[in-house]
Amino acid sequence: MPADTRHVPVLLAETLTYLNVSRFRDQDGIFVDATFGGGGHSRAILEHTGRGTKVVAIDRDQAAVGRAVPLRERYGDRFTLLQGNFADLSQLLQEVQIKGIDALLLDLGLSSYQLSNAPRGFSFQLDGPLDMRMDQKQEISAADIIRTAGVDQLRDIFKRFGEEPYAGSIARAIVKARSVKPITTTRELADLIVSLTPPDKIHRRLHPATRVFQALRIAVNEELQALVAVLESGLEWLNRGGRLVVISYHSLEDRIVKRMFRQWSDPCICPPGLPVCTCGKVPQVRRLTGKVVVPGADEVKRNPRSRSARLRAVERL
Ligand SMILES: C[S@@+](CC[C@H](N)C(=O)[O-])C[C@H]1O[C@@H](n2cnc3c(N)ncnc32)[C@H](O)[C@@H]1O
């Protein structure tokens, strides 16, 4: 495999610190890496913890199963990969008879393997079918949405999940273009968006199709619903003192994480100025990252894909 398609784990040192791996050198623990990808974070957790600590990894993508084999061979029953959606965390953990967990890691979004694989259809830089399904057993692909959604639905997707300023005109252009010829490839969709963009709005750093591709991917995989679901159930599964670390890559995800962490750490709804709390809502977590953690200039230089990463962490009380 060419070197640039390998996935380099993002914010690795920071992730290990916030997951508190050093506590598990000689203490038993269960870590859940709910976004296995290329296994970079799982491997590092296994390396930095002792024999009593197990890693249960999850990924929606069947292709991750093959990448898990070396870890299984090296670490035996300390490592398990479950293929599934982290939105179904409770069901997945019950299937492997787990009672509680000491850490949950979510490194959201796509792996380099997915992005650089043209037939998966995630990238506007590579020509491939408009697919974008993380789980290839899922029925609806990006091509289905582009083929069937009406103008209003397309505009809504591009606006809500891509914050695309030209959502309406792009939606109308898609519906018009597909009445002449179906849009089935990443190149066709990217070229259409470029053709609608005024030359003075074409920036070197952000391709005009970036936001629409992000929006479609989020819609196809129902990513924001899955994030809310895994955060809610993750909190229930964490043992006291357990850590939850989330790395997100765009503001829609980060806003959800920030809002939920704040609700859990500062749940009191009493009017300001009351001498004692009367609402009875007690904090469920302690926030470990006052300010969001971002990669340093060195990491961004070494791994440009890390540039938009944002890490937040909490500890279960
Ligand atoms: C950024 S990559 C993780 C990379 C990994 N931390 C590493 O070091 O190699 C994100 C992975 O999470 C998976 N993923 C995204 N959403 C998911 C979901 N709802 N359920 C399970 N896996 C998901 C993707 O398929 C992808 O492989």
Side-chain angles (χ1 to χ4, degrees):
M1 175 174 308
D4 66 344
T5 65
R6 289 179 61 97
H7 189 94
V8 180
V10 170
L11 288 167
L12 183 58
E14 295 83 349
T15 301
L16 295 176
T17 303
Y18 284 108
L19 288 174
N20 210 5
V21 285
S22 56
R23 191 181 138 208
F24 295 89
R25 289 224 174 88
D26 37 36
Q27 186 181 317
D28 294 0
I30 305 273
F31 280 57
V32 175
D33 174 0
T35 48
F36 178 75
H41 286 105
S42 278
R43 179 183 291 276
I45 295 166
L46 288 159
E47 274 168 10
H48 286 82
T49 52
R51 286 169 177 278
T53 292
K54 296 190 173 177
V55 172
V56 177
I58 299 171
D59 206 294
R60 240 172 140 167
D61 192 335
Q62 285 86 349
V65 175
R67 290 194 291 272
V69 172
L71 288 189
R72 182 78 196 165
E73 282 171 3
R74 168 124 193 236
Y75 292 98
D77 69 357
R78 285 188 65 205
F79 174 74
T80 311
L81 177 84
L82 307 174
Q83 199 250 312
N85 186 340
F86 59 51
D88 304 320
L89 183 75
S90 292
Q91 208 182 313
L92 290 164
L93 295 183
Q94 276 159 10
E95 277 167 21
V96 286
Q97 274 96 40
I98 283 177
K99 302 274 181 286
I101 64 177
D102 299 291
L104 171 61
L105 170 64
L106 302 168
D107 175 21
L108 300 168
L110 297 175
S111 70
S112 307
Y113 301 105
Q114 292 164 322
L115 256 178
S116 58
N117 190 347
R120 300 297 299 270
F122 286 109
S123 172
F124 49 78
Q125 280 160 341
L126 304 169
D127 195 17
L130 261 181
D131 188 326
M132 299 196 190
R133 290 168 304 163
M134 287 188 192
D135 175 352
Q136 291 171 298
K137 288 191 298 225
Q138 181 186 305
E139 269 181 33
I140 306 282
S141 69
D144 294 321
I145 296 180
I146 291 295
R147 184 170 48 82
T148 59
V151 171
D152 291 348
Q153 200 187 346
L154 287 171
R155 183 183 44 221
D156 190 46
I157 290 173
F158 302 155
K159 226 188 194 123
R160 276 177 53 211
F161 301 145
E163 300 180 314
E164 169 57 62
Y166 303 108
S169 43
I170 295 172
R172 283 191 297 277
I174 288 172
V175 171
K176 190 167 165 210
R178 78 186 183 198
S179 68
V180 181
K181 182 179 169 294
I183 303 167
T184 56
T185 69
T186 51
R187 179 74 37 87
E188 285 164 354
L189 180 61
D191 286 352
L192 177 66
I193 297 166
V194 170
S195 74
L196 298 168
T197 312
D200 62 318
K201 295 277 186 278
I202 297 189
H203 303 293
R204 231 166 28 97
R205 288 193 52 208
L206 195 72
H207 188 283
T210 307
R211 294 195 182 91
V212 166
F213 271 63
Q214 172 187 302
L216 272 176
R217 196 198 89 196
I218 292 176
V220 168
N221 297 291
E222 301 186 327
E223 291 180 34
L224 302 184
Q225 293 98 308
L227 176 59
V228 172
V230 72
L231 290 174
E232 282 171 351
S233 57
L235 179 70
E236 300 305 317
W237 279 89
L238 276 180
N239 295 328
R240 215 168 268 254
R243 300 281 180 97
L244 166 54
V245 174
V246 186
I247 307 173
S248 50
Y249 293 86
H250 55 76
S251 54
L252 297 172
E253 287 168 347
D254 187 49
R255 251 178 259 154
I256 291 176
V257 177
K258 188 175 164 184
R259 180 174 47 80
M260 289 184 72
F261 281 9
R262 194 177 296 142
Q263 265 169 21
W264 298 342
S265 63
D266 304 301
C268 175
I269 50 165
C270 293
L274 267 196
V276 283
C277 166
T278 54
C279 74
K281 294 190 186 293
V282 290
Q284 293 172 286
V285 302
R286 174 170 78 91
R287 269 186 283 163
L288 303 172
T289 44
K291 259 184 77 180
V292 72
V293 176
V294 297
D298 273 4
E299 176 167 1
V300 174
K301 202 167 164 203
R302 264 185 289 116
N303 181 15
R305 281 175 182 162
S306 70
R307 69 186 172 278
S308 49
R310 301 271 174 279
L311 181 150
R312 295 184 191 273
V314 289
E315 181 180 280
R316 185 76 160 105
L317 293 172

